[in-house]
Amino acid sequence: MNVILALIRRELGGYFKSLIGYVVIAAVLFLFGFSFVDMLDKLNGIPQDAPVTEQFYATVYFWVILLITAPMITMRAFALEKSTGTYESLMTAPVGDWQVVLAKFGGTLAFFALVWLPLLGCLFIIRHFTGDPATLDPRVTAGTFFGILLIGSLYMAMGCFASSLTRSQIIAAMFSFLLGVGLFVLSLRSVALSSSESGWGAVLDHISVMRHLFDFSRGIIDTRQVVFYLTATAFFLYLTQRVVESRRWK
Amino acid sequence: MIDSPMIEVHDLTKRYPGRTAVDGITFTVGRGEVVGFLGPNGAGKSTTMRILACFLPATGGTARVAGYDVYREPDEVRRRIGYMPESNPLHLDMRVREYLKFRARLKGLGWQRSRDRVDVVLQQCGLTDVHRRITGQLSKGYRQRVGLADALVHEPDLIMLDEPTIGLDPHQIRAVRALIKELGKTTTILLSTHILPEVEMTCSRVLILNQGRILAADTTENLERKLSLDGQVIAEIAAPHEALRDCWRDLPEIERWDVTPADGDWFRVALTPRNGADLRPLVFAIVRENEWGLRELTRSRHSLEDIFIHLTRQQGKELTAL
């Protein structure tokens, strides 16, 4: 456990010692600024029946941010260490493959969570200025953030997997972008098609990250979705571990 | 497993597609030895070290470190080694102390213990003055020392250094060598290099590697003795030319001799012994007996460099003959 914590600390430190951390945070804040203004515009017009969190988070901005930042956050996980050679000193230290994979994943997820935290501020601004506690239910907000964390963990796991395959950060980023967009496009289809008509529709329904986000942002946490994210994350982490291990295959 | 040798390698082979990097090498390194891996670039030194450090799997053969198999028990092996890879990769965005502390924690040292050990190795490697600096801004010599400090921080039984002095200036090389010598008093060290004097200076034993094979494995002195087969003696003697030419004829120890005039009355005599005997006392006795003058008497010594060139060239010839 100590080893994992030391590694996670190093991973997080790495984001703030290079420009990448600041670039990601600045980009996210910029896009969320837009999202916020958009939402205020909407709220100014006609009354809305959806909760604020849904109008704030379940937007196209969320997807742009997720799809672009996930590769940016995860591309360095393994690829950077491989290209600078520190991977060799890491893997010749007495650390297990799983420890490394979990630490890399934990580091990226922690940074991902950190990036989203300031955005709580936007919600508090609304609450402050509307003066009505009903506008922002803490349980709905918590549900939304839990959902974002779940979706994030899947995307981080995909990114770590992509990064473990190559020593080039650019290729890692492209590949994880491809995986992320692939999943997103599948879920777009399920939203566009009226669901559950055929067998495939039902499957797409289950993996539709877009639908899931709508639920989460209304404060609905469906255990089926939680299980989906946890297993999918575990699956990609398992693949990553196999890739890390493959170095020692005869 | 305390009495098993530090490194036991048996018939170790590493093949890459289309190339054999290590070709069935066998050697052992005892506890407390300082052994040098010597060979030209691409001889298989780094590959062997990477296998011993559990970074790469071998294609064939076995390797054990401190009695543990590097393939089956990599965790036990890695706990016991301090390995500095060839390029000495560091996290260049970390400060020296921070980096060493991170590495110490990674190697399983506790909070307090890692602090103490980092202080010790900072001192040992002469890094105390720069412990707040960012490693990326340090000179190559200091970075190398950080790499060394990292290899030492968890007090490993075996230290493996892959080309520890590569790219350093002469002063830095001296400092690093002195440090290695100092460490060698307490720890087993395996270091690789293609710089010959380095091995002569720091190591008690040498393994000469070329094209993935071990050409020679012995102490530096033994190797020199073995290969100075001719043991030629050079003497400069002032004597009548004829007498000097004839006096070697009846001596059974001498196989060949050659007398060439030097300046004035002096002649330069080159003598080759028949069975590697040391001819110097004999020459001196003859000179004294005849009351000649003697101003030089040397036995040519082969340096490790000669041995190395000799061995690697020989192998090259064998290969072209095939």
Side-chain angles (χ1 to χ4, degrees), chain A residues 132-213:
Chain A
D132 178 9
T135 35
L136 203 64
D137 184 352
R139 277 164 300 182
V140 175
T141 314
T144 312
F145 265 79
F146 180 67
I148 290 176
L149 215 57
L150 276 180
I151 297 176
S153 68
L154 173 57
Y155 273 76
M156 293 304 120
M158 290 195 296
C160 284
F161 169 61
S163 185
S164 72
L165 291 170
T166 169
R167 57 173 54 230
S168 152
Q169 289 194 61
I170 297 189
I171 293 176
M174 302 262 271
F175 187 46
S176 82
F177 184 69
L178 203 75
L179 287 174
V181 169
L183 189 59
F184 176 69
V185 168
L186 282 182
S187 64
L188 258 187
R189 270 184 66 90
S190 112
V191 173
L193 296 170
S194 50
S195 69
S196 316
E197 277 170 8
S198 64
W200 275 111
V203 172
L204 287 180
D205 233 24
H206 274 296
I207 63 164
S208 169
V209 281
M210 262 181 117
R211 249 173 224 280
H212 299 169
L213 184 67

Side-chain angles (χ1 to χ4, degrees), chain B residues 138-310:
Chain B
L138 290 176
S139 70
K140 188 127 197 213
Y142 272 120
R143 281 192 211 177
Q144 211 75 8
R145 287 196 228 170
V146 174
L148 261 171
D150 167 27
L152 304 177
V153 75
H154 57 306
E155 293 185 283
D157 297 337
L158 169 67
I159 298 173
M160 289 200 286
L161 309 169
D162 199 350
E163 311 241 353
T165 57
I166 199 164
L168 299 184
D169 73 31
H171 281 106
Q172 296 167 332
I173 290 182
R174 272 184 174 213
V176 169
R177 277 183 196 156
L179 184 59
I180 292 171
K181 261 199 136 155
E182 187 60 36
L183 291 170
K185 290 175 187 165
T186 51
T187 326
T188 315
I189 300 181
L190 178 66
L191 68 92
S192 85
T193 176
H194 61 264
I195 306 157
L196 297 135
E198 191 155 294
V199 179
E200 271 177 314
M201 269 178 244
T202 48
C203 302
S204 56
R205 214 153 61 84
V206 202
L207 300 167
I208 298 179
L209 215 64
N210 193 30
Q211 294 171 347
R213 289 191 200 159
I214 292 185
L215 298 185
D218 215 331
T219 60
T220 41
E221 297 90 46
N222 273 350
L223 274 180
E224 280 169 23
R225 198 174 311 141
K226 256 189 224 165
L227 278 134
S228 57
L229 297 166
D230 40 1
Q232 204 180 45
V233 167
I234 305 286
E236 289 207 7
I237 301 171
H241 191 196
E242 238 117 276
L244 193 58
R245 230 178 21 205
D246 297 340
C247 72
W248 314 112
R249 188 163 296 151
D250 305 325
L251 297 171
E253 296 94 331
I254 294 172
E255 183 167 322
R256 270 186 298 122
W257 67 93
D258 185 35
V259 181
T260 47
D263 53 308
D265 292 339
W266 295 95
F267 291 94
R268 197 174 170 81
V269 185
L271 303 161
T272 311
R274 202 175 288 282
N275 46 18
D278 189 354
L279 295 176
R280 287 173 298 182
L282 180 72
V283 174
F284 184 68
I286 290 171
V287 167
R288 198 173 47 183
E289 198 178 299
N290 295 310
E291 294 183 347
W292 293 332
L294 178 70
R295 69 174 180 188
E296 191 192 327
L297 184 60
T298 44
R299 184 164 187 246
S300 67
R301 268 189 48 163
H302 283 256
S303 66
L304 204 51
E305 190 158 334
D306 297 325
I307 299 170
F308 180 69
I309 299 288
H310 180 75

Side-chain angles (χ1 to χ4, degrees), chain A residues 79-120:
Chain A
L80 180 68
E81 293 227 38
K82 281 185 180 174
S83 66
T84 58
T86 50
Y87 191 62
E88 190 172 346
S89 51
L90 173 67
M91 297 316 284
T92 52
V95 293
D97 294 348
W98 269 115
Q99 283 178 319
V100 172
V101 172
L102 288 178
K104 294 278 177 197
F105 169 70
T108 53
L109 190 60
F111 182 74
F112 178 80
L114 222 63
V115 165
W116 292 83
L117 275 185
L119 308 169
L120 273 176

